[in-house]
C-alpha cells in the first residue's frame, strides 16, 4: 500500500498538488491564477509553494512581462509521483471502509 506523504497531506498543499496534477505535465500555472482558483492569500499560497518546492514537488519560475513580475508553478515528475501515491493511500482507506461496511451489513443479515 502506498503511504501518506506528510508534505502533501496538509489540505492546502493537497489542493495545490491536485490542481497542478490536473494540468499537462510541465504545464506552468500562473501564481495569480492558482491563488484565485484556490481562494488563498498571496502569503498563504507562497508559504505552501515554498514547502512543496523544498520537497522537490513543484518548480517555480519567476520572470518579467514588461516591467511586471510573473511567477509560474508546475508540478515536477517527483511531485506527480508523490501525489499519485498519496491519492492511492487515501483510496485504499476509502475502499477498506467500504469493504468493512459491506462485511458488517452482511453480518447483520
Amino acid at each position: 500500500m502506498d503511504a501518506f506523504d506528510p508534505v502533501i497531506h496538509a489540505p492546502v498543499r493537497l489542493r495545490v498538488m491536485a490542481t497542478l496534477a490536473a494540468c499537462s505535465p510541465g504545464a506552468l500555472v500562473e501564481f495569480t491564477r492558482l491563488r484565485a482558483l484556490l481562494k488563498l492569500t498571496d502569503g498563504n499560497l507562497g508559504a505552501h509553494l515554498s514547502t512543496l518546492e523544498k520537497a522537490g514537488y513543484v518548480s517555480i519560475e519567476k520572470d518579467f512581462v514588461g516591467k511586471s513580475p510573473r511567477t509560474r508553478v508546475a508540478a515536477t515528475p517527483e511531485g506527480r509521483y508523490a501525489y499519485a501515491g498519496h491519492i492511492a493511500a487515501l483510496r485504499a482507506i476509502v475502499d477498506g471502509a467500504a469493504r468493512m461496511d459491506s462485511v458488517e451489513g452482511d453480518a447483520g443479515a
Side-chain angles (χ1 to χ4, degrees), residues 8-91:
I8 295 175
H9 193 64
V12 171
R13 291 193 293 269
L14 179 58
R15 291 172 52 216
V16 168
M17 290 305 297
T19 302
L20 296 175
C23 300
S24 300
L28 294 165
V29 178
E30 290 202 26
F31 180 94
T32 54
R33 176 85 173 123
L34 196 55
R35 181 191 65 206
L37 285 169
L38 300 176
K39 296 177 176 53
L40 299 171
T41 64
D42 286 354
N44 195 353
L45 179 56
H48 286 291
L49 287 176
S50 179
T51 299
L52 290 167
E53 183 181 38
K54 285 177 188 169
Y57 293 170
V58 301
S59 62
I60 299 174
E61 293 185 12
K62 296 179 181 236
D63 61 5
F64 286 87
V65 177
K67 292 185 179 187
S68 299
R70 176 176 66 174
T71 301
R72 297 182 296 167
V73 184
T76 63
E78 295 82 7
R80 288 176 175 278
Y81 181 80
Y83 172 74
H86 189 78
I87 294 304
L90 291 173
R91 283 197 175 114

